[in-house]
Amino acid sequence: MSSLIISVLVFVWHFFWNLTIIKALGNKTLSWAHILLMSFLVGLLSEPIYQQSKVLLLLGISFFSLLYYINLIHVRFFGHLVPWVQIKEFFSKKKTTSAGGDMLVQALKGLVRSVDLILLVVYLVTTIGILFLKTDSLNSIYSIVALNIVLLSLIIVTCFKYWEIKEGRVNPYLFGVFFSYYFVYLNEQKRKEQHEELFKMFEKEQDHDMKLEESKKEVRQKDEFFGKWKGKNVILIQLESFQHFLINHKVNGQEVTPFLNRMARENIQFTEVYSQYAIGHTVDAEFAALHSLYPLKNEIINFKHFDKNYRGLAHIFKENNYETAALHGFKGDFYNRRIMMKSHGFDSFYAEEDFNSSERVSNWLSDRSFFEQAIGKIKNMKEPFFSFMITLTSHFPFELEQKYWGLDIEKHQTDFMSGYYQSANYTDRALEYFYTLLVEEGLHKNTVFAFYGDHEGVTLENLPKLFDIVGLEQANILKSINQQRVAKVPFVLASADAEQSVKLSSSHVGSTLDISGTLLHLMGIPGLSYAMGESLFTSSPNRIVPLIQYPLGSYVSQKIFCYAPLSGNYNESTLFDREKNRMILPIAGEHKKNFDFSKQQIMKSEYLITGNLLVEDKVENNNDAHLIEIKPNLVELLSISEQEAIIIPITRSAEQDYKEQTLDDSLVLKNLEMYYCSQTKRNIKFFSTIDFDNNEQPIYFEDPEYIDGIRDKGYAVDHTFSSSLESFFDGLPDHVCIIITAKDDASNQINDVYYKEIQKYGITQLKKGENFQFSYINLIYKNKGFISLYEMSSSAPIELHLNKNRFYNGLYIPFKLSAVSMGALVGNQSEINVDGFPYSLNKRGLNIVVVSMETSKVLQSVWADTYLNTKVNNGMYKATKSDVTDGG
């Protein structure tokens, strides 16, 4: 009897866990026979395992209970099981801090339910039973008979699914949670086979697609909105985690987004725009909006395909004589943005490192501070300009500090939704502040704006609360359809110029793929040649819009929501008639054609991206300007190093980010390494790819975090440059511009004696006792002597902005300059941007950048910690093997 009890306990344990997770997934095609039989099989197998080792069975139950619970939490947040690549990372690496894992940990408090106590009870009862019951060997013969019956039954019921399994159309959860990974693999292999067939078909369609694009252009040119905003500056703002329901939504009588509401009410808004993203979330949304292509289903384009040839929105604006810039308040190397923004076509990219990030909200640079500082960068852009901005404060987990709250929300409001509302309201107020600053600068009259949300903000765990808020019926069969219904994001186009103002509210169905086409339509510019989106002004009312964040085949139209099954079998789809407000059966016909069309569109986009077929191959000019655009300090490393030396191009934390975000896919780093090598024609390597044992070349790098690791490999490390401040100035060539900014305290070592010595270099307003922790900027021209063109010292922040190719104090400045200095008490920041790229090392003391007046090249970027000494360092290091160097 005890053997039977143990088998029953394990059976219940297995069945209960699988049922709980599959229900959380919202699976409607659950095969009870297979799940029951698999649970019986696991229960029966537990008895012989117990006979061998009680400890082994207990460890197995505990281990799999933990994995089941991790998957349950993951399902509640992301809507799917933990991907196999993340499981592989978890068990193969000491440090597993992928973006999804970080979010999952942050979300844990909100995703644990009281009902989970039942799961704990099931686990405890099972383990206690295993621990204290003793099996009776007399029952073994019955166990063997039962085991054979279960196996035979499994074979019989599986035969009914033979063709579905063979065709890769099987429900992945047929045999339970962990067997699903195998079936997902089968489905993926089948999808690859379909890709090969479709790719051959796509090759034949290229000429037809080009003719179709020409016909689209003719339609656009006949439309009354085409060219309405021709020649205007454009600011495109991507709003983090903004959903459309926020527009005109009120909480306790208060508008959550009053500024956006006004923009939508007085200008152009599209009310049926759906988000498009895959595993890359925000960067996927960027890609969809800027290129009118679908993100990749199982890869992040920023890592896998940054080196492809694109001709997106920024490229087209550049071709129409726009200066382009992208701005974001997070780390520049995160998701490979520094390189990807170049691939997107932007002239400049400003990230957290290029802003003063002292004002932080929800652990990030605040949107208000981001917009305030961005004004200084935007107003120095040559008109017309295209500026792409990405907000940050309204990011999960929506834990906005109470002092930043703008809404009076009563206690009965749910904690999550309250945090979401407050975060969205804060960003809305920051947008209004940004708009006010533009008006003060006089930029608003010739500038148009576009606002759109990147993806949903309300997590799956909290969707039932949202369904109640927006008044959706919550029958279980509607769960996936309701998820699609609330996946809309705002898309608003606005002009502050009354003569250019257009009022329109359109319900044309579209997605973030349509943002570029719609915007270009208003600018009177033909759309992207490879665009898979359209202009929402001229799109067909019968249009089918595939949705990539859901299983392939899912789509939305004016009449239908279709949520495809993971198996890819159309007959298992969930269809909802929007006009009749009811579910319909997935019978063959028009809906089947739309289902297949949706899959083909997404596969075609993947075909174009992965095959590098978007534009004809281009040969990039390998000039210094291009090198600067890759990585500013890389230019200096190349200039001071031997031809065969190894160069490490990025910081250690950035390299670690690449490895973690790509699950340590070595191919990604290799491709990135090859990209750097091809652009610089030098020996570029990452720390993790250097063969330290066999290397005989010196290694140059700029991040001191590498020092200990390189020394551990048997190398000696020294600064590549160090001298007195006087020797540095004297050693500079003629006809250069010297930009100096101070950070923290730069005057402590400038005593009376030293002050007299440095006056000959044009430094006259920096002295100990008089400028304690002051901001300081100096613009010096050297040519047979030193002339200060601009020198300022102040207890307040100082900024200097000069446009390219202009005269300043009688001297022609051939480059664009932006310099900011903030002393210790007013921000503690040094910023020096030349032609849109940051060069200040942002160290305590004096930060110095030297620019050639002939070529506009940055020759050096150094700093002198004039709080402690007057020694100049360039922040670059050289490592050589200890047995072949005299260095220490």
Side-chain angles (χ1 to χ4, degrees):
M1 179 61 70
S2 55
S3 294
L4 177 62
I5 293 174
I6 287 177
S7 294
V8 169
L9 286 174
V10 176
F11 158 78
V12 171
W13 167 82
H14 183 270
F15 181 75
F16 196 82
W17 269 112
N18 278 272
L19 183 64
T20 301
I21 295 175
I22 292 173
K23 284 185 68 176
L25 286 162
N27 195 279
K28 299 171 291 300
T29 55
L30 177 64
S31 174
W32 290 91
H34 284 83
I35 298 297
L36 281 168
L37 287 170
M38 283 303 301
S39 298
F40 277 126
L41 180 62
V42 171
L44 291 169
L45 289 175
S46 65
E47 197 274 338
I49 295 174
Y50 181 92
Q51 294 287 359
Q52 294 295 319
S53 172
K54 180 191 296 186
V55 173
L56 181 62
L57 183 57
L58 282 170
L59 288 175
I61 295 294
S62 300
F63 176 72
F64 281 99
S65 294
L66 177 62
L67 291 188
Y68 277 132
Y69 194 66
I70 290 172
N71 268 288
L72 179 61
I73 293 295
H74 199 276
V75 166
R76 287 174 180 170
F77 185 82
F78 293 103
H80 56 82
L81 301 179
V82 182
W84 169 247
V85 287
Q86 290 187 11
I87 295 176
K88 180 182 177 182
E89 169 75 1
F90 184 85
F91 288 108
S92 62
K93 304 297 173 187
K94 294 180 180 179
K95 186 179 181 182
T96 56
T97 53
S98 65
D102 283 343
M103 279 195 173
L104 197 59
V105 171
Q106 292 179 49
L108 191 60
K109 181 179 177 181
L111 297 177
V112 173
R113 294 176 171 178
S114 57
V115 72
D116 294 345
L117 289 174
I118 299 175
L119 300 171
L120 178 61
V121 170
V122 171
Y123 165 72
L124 290 175
V125 169
T126 303
T127 53
I128 290 172
I130 293 171
L131 194 60
F132 292 103
L133 288 174
K134 295 183 179 180
T135 57
D136 186 349
S137 59
L138 294 176
N139 291 323
S140 296
I141 184 66
Y142 300 108
S143 296
I144 293 173
V145 172
L147 181 61
N148 280 284
I149 292 173
V150 169
L151 288 172
L152 180 61
S153 300
L154 271 170
I155 292 171
I156 292 172
V157 296
T158 301
C159 285
F160 290 105
K161 296 284 185 178
Y162 172 76
W163 286 109
E164 289 187 31
I165 295 174
K166 180 177 174 59
E167 293 296 319
R169 296 183 290 107
V170 68
N171 169 21
Y173 307 107
L174 185 65
F175 290 105
V177 172
F178 282 102
F179 276 94
S180 69
Y181 289 100
Y182 172 68
F183 288 108
V184 168
Y185 167 77
L186 287 182
N187 290 346
E188 182 64 21
Q189 294 303 113
K190 187 64 180 179
R191 190 176 76 92
K192 288 181 179 179
E193 292 177 11
Q194 293 173 341
H195 274 201
E196 292 177 4
E197 296 174 5
L198 285 170
F199 286 0
K200 292 177 182 178
M201 180 184 73
F202 294 151
E203 290 176 4
K204 299 176 182 179
E205 291 181 348
Q206 293 300 304
D207 292 338
H208 171 72
D209 288 347
M210 291 179 66
K211 293 176 182 177
L212 183 61
E213 177 60 27
E214 290 300 319
S215 67
K216 286 182 182 179
K217 291 178 183 178
E218 292 178 8
V219 172
R220 280 195 290 262
Q221 290 165 0
K222 295 177 183 178
D223 181 80
E224 62 178 302
F225 296 101
F226 188 81
K228 181 70 174 176
W229 290 345
K230 188 175 182 64
K232 296 289 185 179
N233 303 320
V234 178
I235 297 178
L236 176 63
I237 302 179
Q238 178 172 286
L239 303 171
E240 174 63 43
S241 302
F242 261 61
Q243 292 183 237
H244 184 266
F245 84 92
L246 291 171
I247 302 297
N248 296 320
H249 184 64
K250 291 184 178 181
V251 180
N252 296 345
Q254 306 160 95
E255 291 181 301
V256 177
T257 58
F259 175 73
L260 273 180
N261 295 347
R262 177 164 64 87
M263 291 291 102
R265 184 171 59 250
E266 298 176 357
N267 296 275
I268 302 170
Q269 70 163 324
F270 294 94
T271 60
E272 284 283 334
V273 174
Y274 292 82
S275 55
Q276 297 279 14
Y277 64 90
I279 60 176
H281 285 252
T282 296
V283 292
D284 283 350
E286 293 168 25
F287 184 83
L290 294 173
H291 294 282
S292 191
L293 291 167
Y294 295 95
L296 298 183
K297 194 74 175 173
N298 299 306
E299 294 178 345
I300 295 176
I301 291 173
N302 287 35
F303 291 120
K304 294 280 189 177
H305 304 285
F306 59 85
D307 55 347
K308 298 296 189 291
N309 295 324
Y310 298 100
R311 184 176 173 267
L313 190 59
H315 293 97
I316 290 179
F317 273 120
K318 284 174 66 175
E319 291 168 7
N320 285 271
N321 300 315
Y322 277 68
E323 182 175 350
T324 61
L327 305 94
H328 186 29
F330 201 53
K331 297 175 182 177
D333 287 322
F334 189 68
Y335 275 109
N336 199 25
R337 273 196 178 97
R338 284 230 180 260
I339 286 181
M340 194 64 202
M341 288 301 179
K342 167 64 180 174
S343 298
H344 285 324
F346 290 102
D347 296 316
S348 309
F349 173 54
Y350 302 98
E352 181 183 10
E353 298 86 350
D354 310 311
F355 295 94
N356 173 11
S357 58
S358 58
E359 182 180 306
R360 304 184 76 79
V361 176
S362 298
N363 297 318
W364 298 294
L365 170 64
S366 73
D367 281 348
R368 181 183 175 91
S369 179
F370 167 68
F371 282 126
E372 184 176 37
Q373 296 180 68
I375 288 289
K377 303 179 191 304
I378 291 174
K379 70 181 183 182
N380 285 301
M381 295 177 68
K382 178 177 68 69
E383 296 191 48
F385 61 74
F386 169 52
S387 174
F388 176 56
M389 309 179 75
I390 307 167
T391 68
L392 186 59
T393 302
S394 53
H395 194 289
F396 181 87
F398 313 117
E399 295 178 350
L400 188 71
E401 294 86 342
Q402 189 168 352
K403 63 181 179 180
Y404 297 114
W405 289 5
L407 297 171
D408 181 14
I409 298 180
E410 297 176 3
K411 293 181 180 179
H412 73 268
Q413 295 289 339
T414 62
D415 290 339
F416 176 86
M417 293 306 298
S418 174
Y420 182 57
Y421 290 145
Q422 296 287 12
S423 297
N425 175 261
Y426 177 88
T427 295
D428 184 78
R429 286 182 282 126
L431 286 172
E432 185 174 25
Y433 177 59
F434 176 60
Y435 187 84
T436 302
L437 293 176
L438 286 170
V439 172
E440 291 175 358
E441 292 290 341
L443 285 172
H444 65 297
K445 290 186 178 180
N446 196 42
T447 301
V448 294
F449 308 87
F451 310 93
Y452 73 96
D454 59 354
H455 53 71
E456 301 96 307
V458 179
T459 62
L460 290 171
E461 171 73 3
N462 292 280
L463 281 181
K465 300 169 187 173
L466 178 58
F467 297 158
D468 281 340
I469 289 169
V470 297
L472 295 180
E473 185 183 349
Q474 293 205 47
N476 189 53
I477 195 171
L478 287 170
K479 184 176 181 180
S480 57
I481 293 299
N482 284 346
Q483 186 179 343
Q484 288 181 307
R485 294 165 84 177
V486 298
K488 293 188 294 185
V489 293
F491 181 31
V492 178
L493 298 144
S495 171
D497 186 348
E499 295 181 2
Q500 298 289 330
S501 179
V502 179
K503 287 188 178 181
L504 175 71
S505 180
S506 171
S507 60
H508 279 208
V509 175
S511 75
T512 43
L513 264 70
D514 303 316
I515 287 171
S516 58
T518 306
L519 189 55
L520 288 173
H521 186 101
L522 282 166
M523 306 308 293
I525 300 173
L528 285 67
S529 59
Y530 53 66
M532 302 196 76
E534 301 180 25
S535 165
L536 290 173
F537 292 107
T538 57
S539 59
S540 168
N542 299 318
R543 181 182 178 206
I544 303 302
V545 178
L547 299 174
I548 193 170
Q549 67 267 45
Y550 306 113
L552 285 178
S554 302
Y555 68 87
V556 61
S557 69
Q558 202 77 35
K559 299 179 179 180
I560 297 293
F561 278 113
C562 174
Y563 192 97
L566 284 171
S567 66
N569 184 354
Y570 167 74
N571 293 326
E572 297 174 2
S573 300
T574 302
L575 293 175
F576 184 81
D577 189 318
R578 302 182 68 184
E579 295 179 335
K580 297 180 180 179
N581 199 38
R582 67 183 187 187
M583 305 296 292
I584 56 178
L585 293 175
I587 58 176
E590 178 186 0
H591 303 315
K592 174 65 164 63
K593 291 178 182 178
N594 295 339
F595 175 89
D596 292 336
F597 170 79
S598 178
K599 293 172 68 173
Q600 290 176 11
Q601 286 294 97
I602 291 173
M603 290 179 180
K604 183 175 181 179
S605 180
E606 180 178 336
Y607 161 74
L608 293 171
I609 296 167
T610 58
N612 200 17
L613 300 171
L614 298 171
V615 295
E616 293 182 1
D617 289 339
K618 300 179 294 183
V619 178
E620 296 279 3
N621 293 324
N622 184 33
N623 52 38
D624 291 324
H626 186 65
L627 297 182
I628 292 173
E629 290 172 354
I630 295 175
K631 183 77 175 179
N633 290 341
L634 180 57
V635 179
E636 187 171 352
L637 279 170
L638 295 171
S639 68
I640 64 175
S641 62
E642 297 89 333
Q643 183 65 32
E644 299 301 321
I646 292 175
I647 313 292
I648 301 179
I650 61 176
T651 64
R652 181 148 194 173
S653 62
E655 181 171 346
Q656 190 62 36
D657 282 344
Y658 282 121
K659 295 176 70 176
E660 291 176 0
Q661 293 161 20
T662 60
L663 300 177
D664 206 16
D665 187 341
S666 60
L667 183 60
V668 173
L669 279 182
K670 277 294 181 184
N671 286 342
L672 189 60
E673 193 176 272
M674 290 171 61
Y675 178 77
Y676 273 115
C677 289
S678 66
Q679 298 300 321
T680 63
K681 309 303 181 186
R682 297 290 293 275
N683 190 11
I684 306 291
K685 288 191 176 295
F686 296 105
F687 178 83
S688 58
T689 63
I690 297 174
D691 183 356
F692 288 97
D693 293 334
N694 298 315
N695 172 57
E696 296 296 333
Q697 298 297 331
I699 302 170
Y700 288 82
F701 58 96
E702 60 171 311
D703 185 0
E705 291 295 320
Y706 285 119
I707 292 176
D708 290 342
I710 291 178
R711 282 178 174 162
D712 290 343
K713 301 292 186 180
Y715 286 70
V717 179
D718 286 306
H719 276 288
T720 62
F721 177 86
S722 182
S723 69
S724 67
L725 194 59
E726 307 96 296
S727 297
F728 170 76
F729 282 126
D730 291 335
L732 292 176
D734 285 333
H735 200 40
V736 296
C737 190
I738 307 164
I739 306 105
I740 304 174
T741 61
K743 174 183 176 178
D744 197 347
D745 184 2
S747 64
N748 189 55
Q749 291 296 317
I750 316 295
N751 55 33
D752 291 340
V753 175
Y754 195 68
Y755 174 70
K756 292 179 181 179
E757 292 182 14
I758 63 173
Q759 287 188 57
K760 64 180 179 181
Y761 301 114
I763 301 175
T764 63
Q765 296 187 27
L766 195 63
K767 190 176 181 181
K768 182 178 182 180
E770 297 179 7
N771 311 96
F772 176 66
Q773 297 184 337
F774 269 33
S775 308
Y776 176 81
I777 293 180
N778 201 337
L779 182 65
I780 302 170
Y781 174 59
K782 180 184 180 184
N783 192 27
K784 310 298 182 184
F786 297 84
I787 301 173
S788 177
L789 304 174
Y790 172 94
E791 186 180 21
M792 175 67 70
S793 177
S794 173
S795 59
I798 308 173
E799 296 188 18
L800 174 64
H801 302 287
L802 300 178
N803 287 329
K804 188 175 183 178
N805 298 327
R806 60 161 288 185
F807 282 92
Y808 183 75
N809 287 342
L811 186 69
Y812 178 75
I813 307 295
F815 53 87
K816 184 169 73 172
L817 172 65
S818 175
V820 177
S821 175
M822 300 180 184
L825 302 179
V826 289
N828 201 24
Q829 178 80 7
S830 165
E831 178 182 320
I832 302 173
N833 291 330
V834 177
D835 284 334
F837 286 87
Y839 284 93
S840 171
L841 297 178
N842 196 26
K843 304 284 189 178
R844 180 177 63 185
L846 296 179
N847 291 264
I848 306 169
V849 171
V850 182
V851 186
S852 168
M853 299 292 279
E854 293 181 354
T855 64
S856 297
K857 284 175 49 179
V858 171
L859 304 179
Q860 293 196 60
S861 177
V862 301
W863 96 97
D865 187 357
T866 45
Y867 175 78
L868 291 179
N869 55 57
T870 58
K871 186 177 180 181
V872 174
N873 292 295
N874 66 352
M876 309 292 172
Y877 300 90
K878 178 180 181 179
T880 51
K881 276 195 174 179
S882 297
D883 58 348
V884 294
T885 183
D886 295 329

